[in-house]
Amino acid sequence: MNWKSFYEKLVVDPELIARDFCEWQIDLAKLIESRLPSGDILEAGSGHGVTTLLVNSVNRSKTLLDLEKPAIEVAQKVFSYAKQNAEFVIGDLFNMEFPDGCFDMTFNAGVLEHFTFAERCDALREMSRVTRCGGVVLVAVPNHFSKPYKYGYDYLHLKG
């Protein structure tokens, strides 16, 4: 998928994005909060960054990284609308320009399934590198065997 084109064509309504999220994003944010009561969070491959937005900000710093500038621009608008702070970085998941061990948790959701097995391994190594010893690397991937995912995937594939 051409993510740059996707984000460039996206009509952004920050208010809608900041209040209209999926149940799985709420559940993932709660899981993050339960695993990390405080500390520094990196969402590597953030897109809009809605899951990070949903994580309680008390005693946490938030960083969003995405390769595509338009994705980061959307995330900045959403966070601004929601009156939340975060650091926004345009960068490569496979070669992040952060020092070793600078985050307590590094996570992404709906990212790794877009890559080959070898690329997934590389991404996980890089996510581990920027996560502190004893920290958490958390990855969420969709269930490719669920009917809604399969129908959506097949539909998008047919549409090109």
Side-chain angles (χ1 to χ4, degrees), residues 2-143:
N2 182 337
W3 291 105
K4 183 176 183 176
S5 174
F6 171 80
Y7 284 108
E8 286 175 342
K9 293 177 185 173
L10 188 65
V11 176
V12 177
D13 180 349
E15 181 179 348
L16 180 62
I17 294 171
R19 63 178 168 78
D20 187 26
F21 28 80
C22 300
E23 188 174 331
W24 68 265
Q25 291 169 310
I26 297 167
D27 291 343
L28 183 55
K30 287 178 184 175
L31 177 63
I32 290 168
E33 291 171 358
S34 72
R35 297 298 223 118
L36 188 71
S38 64
D40 302 320
I41 297 172
L42 168 65
E43 184 173 1
S46 63
H48 297 153
V50 173
T51 302
T52 298
L53 181 79
L54 293 172
V55 173
N56 186 325
S57 295
V58 176
N59 297 320
R60 290 185 188 85
S61 70
K62 300 175 179 182
T63 302
L64 289 82
L65 173 131
D66 203 282
L67 184 60
E68 301 299 342
K69 183 179 179 182
I72 290 296
E73 290 170 343
V74 169
Q76 288 172 315
K77 290 176 185 176
V78 171
F79 272 70
S80 177
Y81 173 80
K83 296 181 176 43
Q84 284 199 33
N85 295 319
E87 181 179 350
F88 302 93
V89 178
I90 299 166
D92 187 350
L93 168 67
F94 300 102
N95 187 23
M96 294 186 265
E97 295 186 18
F98 300 116
D100 293 355
C102 62
F103 295 100
D104 296 296
M105 175 182 279
T106 303
F107 85 96
N108 62 40
V111 175
L112 292 188
E113 70 273 11
H114 297 285
F115 300 105
T116 67
F117 180 78
E119 290 169 328
R120 291 173 190 173
C121 292
D122 291 342
L124 288 168
R125 271 192 286 279
E126 185 66 356
M127 291 172 69
S128 295
R129 182 189 67 77
V130 301
T131 304
R132 290 187 179 107
C133 183
V136 177
V137 174
L138 188 145
V139 174
V141 294
N143 178 353

Side-chain angles (χ1 to χ4, degrees), residues 143-159:
N143 178 353
H144 290 269
F145 298 105
S146 73
K147 286 183 181 179
Y149 182 89
K150 182 166 175 26
Y151 292 144
Y153 180 85
D154 290 344
Y155 175 79
L156 290 175
H157 185 70
L158 287 171
K159 290 287 190 179

